[in-house]
Amino acid sequence: MRHKFLYSVAIIAACSLTGCGSDSPSGGEDPVVPPTPNPEPDEPTTPDDLVGTIYNGIKLPAQWPILRSATSDIRKGMSPFYLSTRPTTVNIAVGRQLFVDNFLIETTTLSRKFHYPEYYSGNPILSPDKDWEKTGTKGAAFAAPFSDGVWYDEQDQKYKMWYMAGGGSYSTNSGGITCYAESTDGISWTKPSLSIVSGTNIVDKGLQRDASTVWIDKQETNASKRYKMFQVAGGAGKWKYIYKTSANGIQWRDNNTPSQSVTDRSTVYKNPFRDVWTWSMRHNVRVNASDPYTVRARDYYENSDPANGNQNAKAELSKFWFGPWPNEQKHPKYNNNDGAPGIYNLDAIAYESIMLGFFSVWQGPENDVCSKDNVIKRNQIMVGYSRDGYSWQRDDMNPFMAVSDNRSDWNNGNLQSVVGAPLIVGDKLYFYLSGRRLEGTNEITSTGLAILRRDGFASMSGTGELTTVGIRFTGENFFVNAKVNGELRVEILDANGNVVSGFSKADCKVVKGDNCKAKVEWTSGKTLSSLKGQKIKVKFYLTDGDLYAFWISPESTGESQGYTAGGGPGLNKLGIDKK
């Protein structure tokens, strides 16, 4: 039986819930690519109806990317097809399995809660204090990633930030420049003196830049291309992606592969689950010729080769992807703007077994109203989740990182996400963002930090039971991320729902307390090694707690084999959670 769900901060899940939803190569280890699963016997694949099968068992439809209409779908957001056509068996060999949607759940009596990061008390962590960070001559200043990137580089054991600066006397046509900062803890940042422009931390100038994506490609085997930059430059009506590469993130080389026409605030991300790059292109869509406004939306393009893909990227309605969701939040004051709300930007990254999407949702007002009323446009950062890198699930419309209504606060308006986030720092996730405030009529843009528990986006909460769909795995050690006030027990079932001997609820050692990597064991002393490759189900019995994630690791120390987003201290340099 199917059930409809009401989502707010908590989702009450029905008991009978069903899923609805130089160019020399570098040395070292080979890049890790998720395995392609064998088709299920009861799920035949044919060239006519499939583009391919992702590692987790999701089968992509023949029309890929999925064809959508800017006319009919402009304000419908989107809903992942794979929640209603879920594979019979989900392969969980890669990464921690998060309960951000119903993909893994067969039945449950628990409730889903969404959680939000807390702002660091010392924000902003990076402010414009250099002459080359000034914008114009009236006192405005800018020192923050406009997507750009904050990463932890495991090779150098440093936190690294690329950000847009106002430009000062180095600006081209009033556009920004790109600067570099570094840190030993991700909180206190230094602006080193570099040789690109003597005495400054400038690493790129000479173009009228807008948004930029800086990606540390940790699976890249060519050392000279480990750092990739996709910079939107050229000016109004002339915006293009400029693709650059670097061996160190300081000296950049233009690959002479500019894109076709795009719009400002366009970005790029890598989907390692399918080994493709995605061009996330802003498109201001005028639905009807008579409309006095446009709707901020996105176009989609993918390619396995970043240089070739960049040359072919073009913002056009034949590539329409999505616009705002029907239930987006609106501006509390300027809520009669027909063009708002809209999707101002999307940045995305692989984290464990899913793609995280950070949506900068514009809620108004338009630039001319901002200027007249001396206010900052209201962009808040929302989060969404994808298991194919294209389809996005956004059940929670609350801001993941919110503006402050205090005009003097660093994040009073126009929040923008940062490429690379989150970084994994022990049991915490670090999210970086830009925010703006006004000094008189001048915007001051700086960089902030927000912190969340690892895997802490959503939890299945309360007292009750949860049974997964059929899964296959390659590890043998069972782990959970949970905060348990009462107790948690885990039971392993076979494909028919029968308890596997030695893995019953009664055999399970009780899990208690707050632990982001708690090992689950059974008194029988068995591991799951004997069940590798078999289809099983997992049943959780939770009393007064929050269950965030589970995974089955090949290591007794719990490495998940999932993707580590922007990286972190002590993690593998390949961007995978492995020894």
Side-chain angles (χ1 to χ4, degrees):
M1 181 173 70
R2 291 194 182 277
H3 297 263
K4 294 182 179 179
F5 304 94
L6 297 177
Y7 292 91
S8 57
V9 176
I11 300 175
I12 306 302
C15 181
S16 300
L17 167 66
T18 62
C20 57
S22 126
D23 289 323
S24 58
S26 63
E29 300 177 72
D30 292 332
V32 176
V33 178
T36 299
N38 294 323
E40 289 295 309
D42 56 345
E43 297 181 15
T45 62
T46 69
D48 293 333
D49 61 7
L50 298 178
V51 172
T53 302
I54 309 175
Y55 85 97
N56 52 19
I58 293 173
K59 298 175 181 179
L60 305 184
Q63 174 61 55
W64 190 264
I66 298 171
L67 188 62
R68 308 192 76 218
S69 168
T71 301
S72 60
D73 297 331
I74 187 64
R75 289 195 178 277
K76 291 183 178 179
M78 66 191 318
S79 181
F81 68 92
Y82 52 75
L83 292 181
S84 59
T85 58
R86 187 170 53 196
T88 300
T89 305
V90 176
N91 185 339
I92 65 163
V94 176
R96 299 182 180 207
Q97 305 298 308
L98 278 63
F99 292 108
V100 295
D101 58 19
N102 298 318
F103 185 68
L104 296 163
I105 302 173
E106 183 174 86
T107 62
T108 189
T109 56
L110 299 173
S111 303
R112 181 174 290 118
K113 285 184 180 178
F114 291 105
H115 306 276
Y116 311 100
E118 295 183 357
Y119 284 123
Y120 172 60
S121 60
N123 280 334
I125 57 168
L126 188 86
S127 298
D129 56 9
K130 305 294 184 183
D131 287 344
W132 55 90
E133 294 170 340
K134 295 178 180 177
T135 303
T137 59
K138 297 181 179 180
F142 199 117
F146 202 40
S147 285
D148 289 276
V150 179
W151 298 78
Y152 185 83
D153 191 342
E154 291 85 6
Q155 285 191 3
D156 296 340
Q157 298 182 27
K158 287 182 182 179
Y159 295 82
K160 298 181 176 182
M161 177 191 296
W162 291 264
Y163 67 95
M164 184 164 77
S169 61
Y170 301 104
S171 174
T172 298
N173 296 330
S174 300
I177 59 175
T178 304
C179 293
Y180 169 80
E182 59 189 28
S183 173
T184 58
D185 63 3
I187 296 174
S188 299
W189 292 84
T190 60
K191 301 174 182 179
S193 179
L194 303 173
S195 61
I196 307 301
V197 178
S198 181
T200 76
N201 64 330
I202 298 171
V203 295
D204 192 81
K205 65 181 185 65
L207 292 172
Q208 184 180 348
R209 67 150 283 185
D210 186 73
S212 181
T213 297
V214 177
W215 202 275
I216 301 184
D217 189 0
K218 298 179 181 182
Q219 292 88 47
E220 174 63 72
T221 57
N222 185 331
S224 70
K225 297 181 179 180
R226 185 168 183 262
Y227 297 80
K228 295 175 170 63
M229 178 190 291
F230 301 85
Q231 188 179 82
V232 177
K238 300 178 182 179
W239 297 114
K240 294 184 178 182
Y241 287 107
I242 308 299
Y243 174 52
K244 302 180 181 183
T245 54
S246 174
N248 58 12
I250 306 298
Q251 287 88 15
W252 291 91
R253 180 184 63 185
D254 190 336
N255 284 257
N256 296 314
T257 55
S259 74
Q260 300 179 60
S261 177
V262 298
T263 310
D264 63 330
R265 204 61 188 104
S266 295
T267 53
V268 178
Y269 63 86
K270 184 180 182 180
N271 177 354
F273 298 108
R274 297 184 49 239
D275 196 24
V276 296
W277 293 87
T278 294
W279 283 258
S280 168
M281 298 173 285
R282 178 180 168 187
H283 199 139
N284 296 338
V285 179
R286 194 177 303 277
V287 181
N288 299 303
S290 60
D291 287 343
Y293 60 87
T294 59
V295 179
R296 290 161 170 82
R298 309 300 285 183
D299 295 340
Y300 178 96
Y301 175 69
E302 69 174 47
N303 195 299
S304 60
D305 179 76
N308 178 267
N310 202 69
Q311 283 183 310
N312 290 288
K314 182 179 181 180
E316 52 189 344
L317 289 184
S318 63
K319 296 183 175 69
F320 173 75
W321 191 5
F322 60 83
W325 272 247
N327 51 344
E328 300 281 4
Q329 289 190 2
K330 296 182 178 181
H331 198 294
K333 180 179 178 182
Y334 300 93
N335 53 21
N336 294 318
N337 187 316
D338 289 332
I343 305 296
Y344 199 75
N345 182 51
L346 167 66
D347 287 317
I349 197 165
Y351 173 77
E352 293 294 346
S353 60
I354 61 173
M355 297 291 295
L356 297 173
F358 300 101
F359 299 76
S360 182
V361 177
W362 172 70
Q363 298 169 338
E366 288 285 7
N367 292 335
D368 59 337
V369 178
C370 288
S371 179
K372 178 175 67 73
D373 291 356
N374 195 29
V375 297
I376 304 174
K377 66 174 63 173
R378 189 181 181 95
N379 283 289
Q380 304 203 86
I381 299 173
M382 317 298 185
V383 69
Y385 310 98
S386 178
R387 296 179 185 272
D388 63 4
Y390 173 87
S391 309
W392 293 99
Q393 182 78 354
R394 290 181 59 209
D395 293 327
D396 180 24
M397 290 290 116
N398 293 302
F400 188 67
M401 291 181 277
V403 300
S404 168
D405 290 325
N406 185 337
R407 284 175 63 92
S408 65
D409 285 347
W410 67 277
N411 61 333
N412 177 234
N414 208 348
L415 306 188
Q416 300 290 329
S417 56
V418 173
V419 170
L423 277 61
I424 301 171
V425 184
D427 287 341
K428 303 294 184 182
L429 299 178
Y430 280 17
F431 299 87
Y432 297 89
L433 69 158
S434 68
R436 305 187 196 189
R437 62 181 174 87
L438 287 172
E439 284 187 358
T441 59
N442 293 312
E443 285 193 1
I444 307 299
T445 305
S446 56
T447 306
L449 169 67
I451 301 173
L452 182 71
R453 160 198 197 101
R454 188 167 180 176
D455 307 335
F457 303 94
S459 64
M460 299 306 292
S461 178
T463 296
E465 302 173 1
L466 185 152
T467 303
T468 70
V469 297
I471 61 173
R472 279 198 171 92
F473 61 94
T474 57
E476 58 186 76
N477 301 286
F478 200 103
F479 288 86
V480 294
N481 182 342
K483 181 179 180 181
V484 184
N485 300 315
E487 65 177 40
L488 172 68
R489 295 176 187 264
V490 180
E491 190 168 66
I492 306 299
L493 312 177
D494 64 20
N496 297 317
N498 301 311
V499 177
V500 178
S501 177
F503 294 99
S504 70
K505 173 185 176 183
D507 293 322
C508 183
K509 297 180 181 180
V510 174
V511 177
K512 292 184 177 182
D514 188 349
N515 196 327
C516 290
K517 189 168 67 174
K519 190 174 184 180
V520 177
E521 298 178 298
W522 290 265
T523 56
S524 63
K526 291 183 176 181
T527 70
L528 297 177
S529 57
S530 62
L531 302 177
K532 286 182 184 179
Q534 296 183 35
K535 181 176 178 178
I536 66 166
K537 297 181 180 180
V538 181
K539 189 168 186 177
F540 298 92
Y541 298 87
L542 178 64
T543 304
D544 189 16
D546 289 278
L547 177 62
Y548 295 91
F550 77 97
W551 66 102
I552 302 174
S553 172
E555 309 290 349
S556 61
T557 44
E559 288 77 6
S560 70
Q561 317 304 301
Y563 288 98
T564 52
L571 298 176
N572 191 291
K573 65 181 181 180
L574 294 176
I576 307 288
D577 187 21
K578 58 180 288 190
K579 283 189 173 181

